[in-house]
């Protein structure tokens, strides 16, 4: 039987699904090698200093609020995680903003995010390190 090679994953840690996969691999301790890629190099207004279209931003924030409403009312009203009593990969998509606290007025979602962080430990912060660095850099410029 041939020896198993480590899984090779290509991740852009600015992408929430990529961060979720990074956390999953760290928590399961599956042997893997991470290759960092920049899928959106030059396309993010926050990174390029380009102005954000207000109408586009307001539409995106409105959609986000609708999604957060559904998470609260449909999934987290009676259970600690999105799919029940145990954490799943769906929970790893917990929103982590790069400067905007989208859960600020949502205590139910804040508690869910805290449970997710506690369940995955350091893997959460490791996966979000790039996002935190960008947030800190942007704050320092203000």
């Amino acid at each position: 039987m041939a020896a198993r090679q480590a899984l090779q994953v290509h991740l852009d840690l600015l992408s929430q699904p990529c961060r979720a996969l990074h956390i999953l691999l760290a928590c399961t301790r599956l042997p893997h090698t991470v290759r960092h890629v920049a899928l959106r190099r030059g396309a993010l207004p926050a990174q390029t200093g380009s102005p954000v279209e207000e109408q586009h931003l307001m539409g995106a924030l409105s959609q986000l609020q609708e999604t957060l409403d559904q998470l609260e009312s449909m999934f987290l009203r009676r259970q600690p995680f999105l799919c029940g009593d145990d954490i799943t990969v769906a929970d790893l998509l917990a929103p982590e903003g790069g400067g905007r606290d989208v859960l600020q007025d949502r205590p139910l979602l804040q508690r869910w995010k805290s449970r997710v962080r506690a369940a995955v430990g350091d893997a959460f912060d490791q996966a979000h390190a790039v996002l935190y660095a960008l947030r800190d850099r942007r704050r320092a410029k203000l």
Side-chain angles (χ1 to χ4, degrees):
M1 186 176 214
R4 257 190 169 173
Q5 291 184 355
L7 178 67
Q8 186 177 98
V9 293
H10 297 261
L11 302 175
D12 180 348
L13 293 179
L14 292 178
S15 162
Q16 183 62 35
C18 287
R19 290 191 304 269
L21 178 60
H22 185 67
I23 293 168
L24 177 69
L25 291 171
C27 289
T28 58
R29 294 187 177 93
L30 284 171
H32 66 283
T33 302
V34 174
R35 301 272 188 235
H36 294 280
V37 296
L39 297 175
R40 300 183 216 187
R41 183 162 295 201
L44 297 168
Q47 317 247 330
T48 63
S50 304
V52 177
E53 290 182 34
E54 191 68 25
Q55 183 178 6
H56 180 72
L57 175 63
M58 298 315 289
L61 289 174
S62 176
Q63 286 179 330
L64 175 62
Q65 293 307 316
E66 289 175 24
T67 300
L68 296 177
D69 288 342
Q70 290 174 349
L71 288 177
E72 287 178 326
S73 65
M74 297 171 63
F75 297 100
L76 296 170
R77 178 81 48 219
R78 294 182 184 95
Q79 57 195 30
F81 295 103
L82 292 177
C83 296
D85 292 332
D86 298 312
I87 191 169
T88 66
V89 71
D91 295 289
L92 300 181
L93 296 170
E96 182 64 27
R100 182 182 299 269
D101 186 0
V102 297
L103 304 183
Q104 181 177 351
D105 297 321
R106 295 180 175 271
L108 181 65
L109 291 175
Q110 289 174 0
R111 290 190 300 273
W112 165 61
K113 183 177 163 186
S114 293
R115 287 190 296 273
V116 169
R117 288 181 85 141
V120 300
D122 291 338
F124 189 91
D125 288 328
Q126 290 169 1
H128 290 85
V130 170
L131 193 64
Y132 296 156
L134 290 171
R135 177 197 60 202
D136 294 345
R137 202 174 327 147
R138 194 168 43 245
R139 284 182 183 165
K141 288 182 180 179
L142 297 178

